[in-house]
Amino acid sequence: MKKILIIFLFIIEISLAQNQGSMPASFLRVGMGAREMGMAGATMAMTKPDAMSFFYNPAQLPLLESRTVGFGYQFLALDRMVSHIGVSLPLKPTGGFSVNWIHSGYRDVRSYNSYGEDTGEINNGNEAFYVSFSQSFKERVY
């Protein structure tokens, strides 16, 4: 009986704790690149990699034919934004390398306290740095 009670309490604790906290780096769930977002993120089977391959499928980097530079800026609701800059390059004969920086945040948003008094502006930003390397070991194995 004691063992059943302990298991029951353990299950209840787990079910109550699952919604605590938040999603780390949730700004990376927005998506990158017009082509990829237009495909609803279904880019795993793309045969021609582009500047956003580092984000969706880094194993495609050896398939790059030339240096690729990517820039992006997205306006989001509530005065938020996501920007990206990066470079991907093939490492002949069988490799690929990519370096990227993603910034997300907001700025110049008015802040008020519980009395309705203006407390100034607030700014926030999040950064993500990606360094990706991929190697082809055999034909079609990345």
Side-chain angles (χ1 to χ4, degrees), residues 12-29:
I12 288 175
E13 291 242 357
I14 289 174
S15 65
L16 293 175
Q18 70 182 357
N19 292 329
Q20 302 301 317
S22 65
M23 296 181 179
S26 60
F27 69 98
L28 295 175
R29 299 174 199 270

Side-chain angles (χ1 to χ4, degrees), residues 35-66:
R35 177 180 176 201
E36 288 79 1
M37 290 178 70
M39 295 173 60
T43 58
M44 285 299 245
M46 284 182 9
T47 57
K48 185 143 175 83
D50 62 3
M52 299 303 159
S53 292
F54 81 94
F55 191 77
Y56 291 99
N57 191 0
Q60 291 181 333
L61 291 174
L63 299 174
L64 286 169
E65 296 173 1
S66 63

Side-chain angles (χ1 to χ4, degrees), residues 65-80:
E65 296 173 1
S66 63
R67 290 185 189 126
T68 307
V69 178
F71 301 95
Y73 192 90
Q74 300 175 35
F75 294 101
L76 303 174
L78 305 174
D79 294 329
R80 297 174 299 147

